[in-house]
Amino acid sequence: MRKIKDVIWALDILIKRRVLLFSISLCFVFLYSCNTTKYVPDGEYLLDKVSINVLDKTSTEMLLMPYVQQTPNGSTSVGIYNLVNNDSNFFKKAIRKLGAPAIIYKNSLTELSVEELTAQMRNIGYLNAEVTAKVDTTYDKKKASVTYTVIGREPYRVRNFKNNISILEARPDNTPRRSFMNTLRKFRNTSKQDTLSNQQHRGYISTINEGSIFDMNALEIEINRVTNALRNRGYYNFTADKVHFLVDTALMSNQVDITMVLSDSTNIESYTIKRVNVYTGFDPAERDTYVIADSVNKKGINIYYNKSKYLRPNVIANRVLMRPDDLYRDRLGNNTFNLFQSLSGMGRVDIQYEENNYADSTLLDCNIFLTPGNNHSVQLGVEGTNKAGDLGVALDVTYGNANIFNGGEIFNVNFRTSYEFVRSKNNDAVNNNFYEIGVTPSFTFPRVHLPLVNKWLSNRFTSTTTYSLGYNIQRRPEFTRNFFNFNWKFGWTNQSRNLTQSLTLLDVNYVNMPWVSDFFKDYLSGIDPLTRYSYDDVFTAGLGYSLVYTNAQKTRNVSHKPYTIRFNAETSGNALSGLFSAFNANKSENGKYNIMGNPFAQYVKGNIEFSQNIPLSLSSKIAYRVGLGVAYPYGNSSIMPFEKRYFAGGPNSVRGWSTRYLGPGSFNSSESGNIALHVGDINFITTVEYRQKLTSWFEPAIFIDAGNIWTIKEYESQPNGYFQWDRFYKEIAVATGIGLRFDLSFLVVRLDAGTRVYDPARTEGDRFVLFRKKFLKNSALHFAIGYPF
C-alpha cells in the first residue's frame, strides 16, 4: 500500500511541475519544423493556400469555399503524415492516420472550381457574376497558392411571383382533384401557422417576394413548403418533383418573373388510413419466420405479438398517432417514429404504408415494425481523485435495464466506492484512511405522471418521469458523514429536439454527521462560523425547473451561428415553512423551525447562461458565453447551504485560478489558507475563445476569462466579499491562456493553461499581474473532458 501511495504522489508532482505541458510544447515545435514538401514530386506543387476575394462583397469567402474543388490539408496535418516514410507497419499506419497527405495542385480542379463558383453565384441571384483564378508558384519552388476573384455585379430581383394551377382547372372535375386545388389555394392565402402544419417547418416565411433577390435556395424552400403542406393533408403520393417554376429572365432590367406550376397533375388524390397494424418483437433478419402468437386491438390499432410479448398494448397505442379512417398525414408518421425511437429499449422502428389492398385505390394500410434493442447494460469507471492534496482511487459501477416493466421503463442502479490516503494530524482517529460507499437506484418512466397534462405532453413532446433514491456514507479520520437524497423529476423534449425542459417536483436532501472525533470538534470550535456551518447537518426539500434551448440543429449552413440558452431555478423550504406556520409549530432559540434537530434550509436560486459559436472560416470560430447566477437565503435560513453556493476558478470558470481559489469579491484567504471560504451567492462569468482546428482531431485555442463570485450578505469571515454596486466592477477577475483540445470522436480531451491578468484579491493599484515575477504561481493548469461551454 505504501508503494502505491508513493507512485501516486510521484505522478502528482510531475504534473504539478508542468512536465506534461513542456512535452506537448516540444512536440509542436517539432511538428512545425517538419518539411511539408518532403514527398512532393519534382515538377509538381503542394497546394499551400486557397483564398477567395469577393470584390463587391456580394458573398463571403466562407459561403463560397465549399464549392472549391481542391483545398490544402494544412501544414500540421501534412507534417504529422510526413513523420514516417510509409505505412508498412501498425505504428506507421497509426501516425499517418493522425495526419493527412500533401495535396498536389491540379490545374483541372482549379478550372472546375471556377465553374462551380460561377454557378453558385448565379444560384443566389448574380446571373452576371464573373470568377477568375490566379495561381502563384513564385514564392516557393514546391508550393502553390490559388486566389479566386469573384465579381458579383448587380443581382437579379423578383418582379412578379404567381401560383398557376390552370393545368388542373382544365381537366374534368372530380372530388380529389378539386380538393387538391382548394388546398393549394388555401396554402398560398393562409397565414404561415395554418400553412406549415409540419412542426419542423413552422416559422418559415417565403423568400419569394416582389423585390427580393432571385435565389434558387428560396425556390427550393418554397417547393418543400408546398410538398410538406400537401403531404400533411392526405396527399400520400405528392412529391417535390411535381412542383416546378417557370422563370422569365428576358426582361432586360435585371428582373425576373416566376410562375409556380405542376409538372404532373395525375394521381393527385387524398388518401385515408384504413388499418393500422403494429408488429412487436420483430426482427428484420427473420421476417419470413415471424410468428404471431397473440393479437390485441387497442384504440383501433391492431397489435400483433410474437412469443416475446414486447411492450404493453397501452404503451404502443399511446405512441401511435395514426388512426383508422383518418387522412394520411406525413408528420404523424414522423412523430410516431420519434416517440418509439425515444424508448431506450428500442432497437429499430420501421413504418411502411401499403396501397392497392382495397377496391378503393385511395385507402392505405399503415404497418409499424418494432425491433427490441439490448435492454441490459453495465458501465464500469475507475478514476483517480485529488481532494485538497489527498490522493486516492474511485470505482463506479452502473447496471441498467432499459425495459424492466415491458413499457420502456429504465432501471439504473449505481454503486460507488472510493478510497483515499489521508494525511491526518489528530491522534484519536481510528485510522488515516478515508473511504466512501454509496448506492443510487433510479426508475425512469417514458411518460409524465401528471394526469391532467400527461396526454397533452405525450402528443407534443418526448416526456419522462424519474424517481431516484440515494444513500452515501463517507468515513474520514476526523468524522463520519451520511448523505440521503430523494428526487422526483419530470422531463420533456420537443419533436425538433432543440428545447429540453425539466421540472423537479420534489428534491429532498439530508446530510448529517453521526460521529465527530475530539480533534475535529476542537478544530470546529476554533474556526470561523462560515466554515463551521459547512459541516452542520443540513435538510433541504424543494423544487426546481431547468430549460435548455439551442438553434444548433436548425440548419447546416456554414455561416450559421449556433447558440444555446440555459436557465435553472430552484427553491427550497417554502412548503415546510408554510406547513410549520399553519400548525403553529414552535421555533428554536434562534427563531428557526427545526426538523430532525436542525433548521431546514429555505432559499431561492437561479442561473442563466448564453453561449454562441461564430464561424470565421471552415476551420476556425469564435466562441463566447455570458452567465449570471444569484442565490438568496431567507426565512428559516440566514446563509445558503454550502453545497448550493457558487465557487469560481477551475477548468470551466476563470482558468487563471485553481478550482475554488477565486473570490468572493476582493477577499484574500492567503492568511487563513482556508479554501472553504471561497464561496458566494452571486456568480458572474464571461469567456471568449478563439478555436482553430488544425487537423480533424487537434484544435488549439486562445481564451480570455472574466468573472467572480460575491456574497449577498456581509460575513465577518469573508471581508470584502460582499457585493456592492460601487465596486463590483473593480473585482472582476481576468485571466488569459491557451488550450489544447483533442477530439477522440467519442469524447474531447482538453488541456488548458491559464494565467492571471487582473487579480482582485490584491490591493488596488497592484492588481494587474500579467508578466510579473512568479509567473507559475499566478497560473493554473487544467485537465478536463469536453469543452468549457
Side-chain angles (χ1 to χ4, degrees):
M1 187 67 72
R2 178 67 181 175
K3 291 182 178 179
I4 296 175
K5 181 177 180 180
D6 292 341
V7 170
I8 296 175
W9 279 103
L11 289 174
D12 187 57
I13 292 172
L14 286 176
I15 294 175
K16 288 182 177 180
R17 290 183 178 180
R18 278 48 173 188
V19 172
L20 180 61
L21 185 60
F22 177 74
S23 301
I24 292 175
S25 301
L26 276 181
C27 289
F28 284 115
V29 173
F30 175 71
L31 291 177
Y32 274 105
S33 65
C34 292
N35 184 6
T36 56
T37 60
K38 186 176 181 179
Y39 297 109
V40 176
D42 292 337
E44 296 186 348
Y45 300 94
L46 177 143
L47 185 61
D48 182 48
K49 184 180 180 182
V50 171
S51 61
I52 300 176
N53 184 19
V54 185
L55 296 183
D56 49 7
K57 308 301 179 185
T58 49
S59 187
T60 64
E61 178 180 358
M62 187 167 54
L63 291 174
L64 295 176
M65 189 60 75
Y67 301 93
V68 175
Q69 303 302 300
Q70 191 180 38
T71 56
N73 271 334
S75 59
T76 303
S77 294
V78 176
I80 296 174
Y81 188 88
N82 288 348
L83 286 175
V84 295
N85 56 3
N86 57 57
D87 57 358
S88 58
N89 56 51
F90 175 81
F91 176 73
K92 291 182 177 180
K93 285 181 180 179
I95 291 179
R96 287 206 157 180
K97 284 184 178 180
L98 293 177
I103 299 295
I104 305 301
Y105 168 75
K106 294 186 180 299
N107 185 64
S108 60
L109 293 179
T110 300
E111 293 175 354
L112 182 59
S113 297
V114 171
E115 295 176 7
E116 292 291 329
L117 289 170
T118 303
Q120 173 58 16
M121 290 299 293
R122 291 174 179 173
N123 283 340
I124 61 175
Y126 297 93
L127 303 188
N128 296 322
E130 179 183 352
V131 180
T132 59
K134 180 181 179 181
V135 183
D136 183 7
T137 60
T138 60
Y139 67 101
D140 190 294
K141 65 179 182 179
K142 281 198 171 185
K143 292 183 179 180
S145 174
V146 183
T147 301
Y148 296 93
T149 301
V150 179
I151 304 176
R153 298 193 173 92
E154 186 69 22
Y156 275 65
R157 297 184 179 274
V158 177
R159 188 183 71 167
N160 294 309
F161 173 74
K162 63 179 180 178
N163 166 34
N164 189 349
I165 57 172
S166 59
I167 187 173
L168 289 176
E169 295 174 341
R171 294 185 179 273
D173 287 343
N174 60 68
T175 301
R177 293 178 183 176
R178 189 163 55 247
S179 175
F180 167 80
M181 203 165 56
N182 293 336
T183 300
L184 192 55
R185 285 180 180 140
K186 182 179 180 181
F187 169 74
R188 291 301 306 165
N189 296 327
T190 54
S191 66
K192 65 179 181 179
Q193 288 81 5
D194 294 330
T195 302
L196 304 178
S197 57
N198 191 335
Q199 189 174 13
Q200 65 182 358
H201 292 278
R202 189 168 294 152
Y204 276 120
I205 299 176
S206 176
T207 55
I208 310 178
N209 300 312
E210 295 179 5
S212 63
I213 294 179
F214 171 56
D215 190 339
M216 294 297 293
N217 295 320
L219 301 186
E220 189 70 25
I221 291 174
E222 194 73 6
I223 289 175
N224 290 334
R225 294 176 68 239
V226 172
T227 303
N228 280 286
L230 295 176
R231 286 183 62 83
N232 282 302
R233 286 167 171 79
Y235 298 98
Y236 169 71
N237 283 327
F238 192 88
T239 55
D241 57 6
K242 294 182 184 293
V243 182
H244 281 214
F245 291 95
L246 302 178
V247 181
D248 183 3
T249 61
L251 302 178
M252 305 302 291
S253 59
N254 281 47
Q255 291 182 314
V256 297
D257 287 343
I258 303 174
T259 303
M260 184 171 67
V261 299
L262 293 173
S263 60
D264 182 9
S265 60
T266 61
N267 296 325
I268 301 178
E269 296 178 311
S270 179
Y271 282 73
T272 301
I273 302 294
K274 181 64 175 178
R275 289 166 54 92
V276 180
N277 306 312
V278 180
Y279 300 87
T280 74
F282 183 82
D283 187 347
E286 301 176 358
R287 176 183 293 269
D288 297 333
T289 60
Y290 181 82
V291 177
I292 297 175
D294 192 12
S295 64
V296 177
N297 186 283
K298 194 75 174 179
K299 298 181 180 180
I301 301 167
N302 302 312
I303 303 174
Y304 299 102
Y305 288 99
N306 63 355
K307 61 181 181 180
S308 67
K309 296 285 186 179
Y310 178 62
L311 295 180
R312 299 190 306 272
N314 275 338
V315 176
I316 294 174
N318 290 335
R319 280 165 173 73
V320 177
L321 303 182
M322 296 80 76
R323 292 290 185 270
D325 301 324
D326 283 354
L327 280 178
Y328 165 81
R329 299 184 189 276
D330 207 24
R331 74 173 183 276
L332 296 184
N334 294 333
N335 292 346
T336 296
F337 176 88
N338 291 334
L339 288 172
F340 277 113
Q341 199 65 51
S342 66
L343 294 176
S344 59
M346 184 65 62
R348 176 175 174 177
V349 182
D350 190 14
I351 301 178
Q352 300 176 3
Y353 295 92
E354 283 189 77
E355 299 181 76
N356 304 319
N357 289 342
Y358 307 96
D360 187 344
S361 61
T362 63
L363 296 179
L364 293 172
D365 279 349
C366 175
N367 299 317
I368 303 174
F369 302 91
L370 305 179
T371 304
N374 185 8
N375 292 335
H376 302 277
S377 64
V378 177
Q379 295 179 345
L380 175 66
V382 180
E383 63 184 63
T385 60
N386 185 342
K387 298 180 179 178
D390 296 327
L391 304 181
V393 63
L395 177 66
D396 204 286
V397 181
T398 301
Y399 166 76
N401 187 321
N403 191 35
I404 190 169
F405 300 132
N406 205 28
E409 301 89 354
I410 304 171
F411 170 71
N412 284 322
V413 58
N414 173 264
F415 299 93
R416 179 179 175 85
T417 180
S418 63
Y419 181 88
E420 288 185 14
F421 304 95
V422 179
R423 297 164 293 175
S424 178
K425 298 179 181 179
N426 63 304
N427 297 320
D428 65 327
V430 176
N431 55 56
N432 286 344
N433 299 324
F434 161 71
Y435 64 85
E436 176 183 350
I437 300 174
V439 58
T440 305
S442 67
F443 289 92
T444 300
F445 297 85
R447 57 192 175 277
V448 170
H449 289 169
L450 289 175
L452 297 179
V453 299
N454 180 40
K455 185 176 181 180
W456 183 86
L457 283 174
S458 298
N459 291 337
R460 293 164 176 81
F461 302 92
T462 302
S463 54
T464 60
T465 300
T466 300
Y467 304 93
S468 66
L469 184 70
Y471 183 68
N472 185 285
I473 301 174
Q474 288 183 354
R475 173 72 184 199
R476 296 187 68 91
E478 300 87 358
F479 58 82
T480 298
R481 206 171 196 184
N482 297 330
F483 297 82
F484 169 84
N485 70 278
F486 172 76
N487 187 276
W488 178 17
K489 182 171 71 173
F490 306 116
W492 60 97
T493 303
N494 65 352
Q495 298 298 332
S496 300
R497 298 186 181 278
N498 63 345
L499 177 62
T500 300
Q501 301 173 77
S502 68
L503 174 65
T504 302
L505 198 62
L506 183 61
D507 185 12
V508 177
N509 292 272
Y510 177 59
V511 182
N512 79 312
M513 295 175 61
W515 176 81
V516 180
S517 68
D518 293 336
F519 166 82
F520 201 67
K521 289 179 181 177
D522 293 339
Y523 168 76
L524 291 177
S525 63
I527 63 175
D528 61 276
L530 191 64
T531 304
R532 185 169 60 251
Y533 174 75
S534 66
Y535 291 98
D536 285 350
D537 293 352
V538 178
F539 182 89
T540 61
L543 57 86
Y545 170 79
S546 69
L547 175 149
V548 178
Y549 174 80
T550 179
N551 71 338
Q553 297 178 337
K554 282 192 173 183
T555 178
R556 295 183 179 180
N557 192 317
V558 293
S559 64
H560 181 52
K561 301 176 182 178
Y563 65 85
T564 300
I565 299 173
R566 293 180 175 86
F567 173 76
N568 295 278
E570 63 177 284
T571 184
S572 177
N574 293 329
L576 285 174
S577 180
L579 188 63
F580 276 65
S581 178
F583 285 93
N584 295 318
N586 295 325
K587 294 184 177 181
S588 62
E589 295 179 356
N590 57 6
K592 308 293 185 183
Y593 292 119
N594 286 353
I595 187 168
M596 288 183 283
N598 291 279
F600 58 82
Q602 189 173 7
Y603 63 87
V604 62
K605 181 180 180 181
N607 310 279
I608 188 168
E609 180 180 287
F610 178 87
S611 60
Q612 185 174 33
N613 292 336
I614 302 176
L616 302 177
S617 68
L618 295 179
S619 60
S620 65
K621 66 179 68 172
I622 291 288
Y624 72 93
R625 65 161 168 178
V626 179
L628 177 66
V630 179
Y632 182 72
Y634 61 94
N636 215 54
S637 293
S638 57
I639 187 172
M640 289 289 296
F642 181 80
E643 64 274 10
K644 295 295 183 179
R645 304 190 79 188
Y646 298 105
F647 64 88
N652 299 319
S653 184
V654 186
R655 283 165 280 185
W657 282 259
S658 297
T659 303
R660 296 182 180 270
Y661 274 86
L662 173 61
S666 55
F667 167 69
N668 191 331
S669 66
S670 58
E671 296 182 1
S672 65
N674 188 358
I675 64 170
L677 295 174
H678 291 287
V679 290
D681 312 309
I682 300 174
N683 177 54
F684 171 74
I685 179 68
T686 181
T687 299
V688 178
E689 283 194 355
Y690 171 76
R691 301 169 182 171
Q692 174 70 54
K693 212 168 186 66
L694 296 183
T695 70
S696 61
W697 57 271
F698 178 60
E699 183 183 50
I702 301 173
F703 60 82
I704 299 176
D705 302 328
N708 206 338
I709 56 174
W710 293 267
T711 62
I712 209 162
K713 298 180 180 180
E714 289 192 78
Y715 300 111
E716 183 179 348
S717 55
Q718 293 175 303
N720 301 318
Y722 177 54
F723 180 89
Q724 290 184 311
W725 289 103
D726 60 348
R727 76 177 192 196
F728 83 93
Y729 58 91
K730 301 178 183 179
E731 298 170 337
I732 297 177
V734 180
T736 187
I738 59 174
L740 308 178
R741 287 78 195 273
F742 304 91
D743 189 347
L744 306 181
S745 298
F746 57 94
L747 59 84
V748 175
V749 177
R750 173 164 57 96
L751 187 66
D752 288 335
T755 187
R756 303 174 190 179
V757 176
Y758 181 83
D759 186 355
R762 302 174 70 93
T763 59
E764 288 196 57
D766 190 38
R767 292 179 173 175
F768 286 95
V769 296
L770 189 63
F771 305 125
R772 294 274 187 92
K773 294 180 180 180
K774 300 181 180 180
F775 179 80
L776 292 180
K777 183 179 179 181
N778 291 329
S779 303
L781 183 66
H782 306 284
F783 178 82
I785 302 298
Y787 289 101
F789 58 92

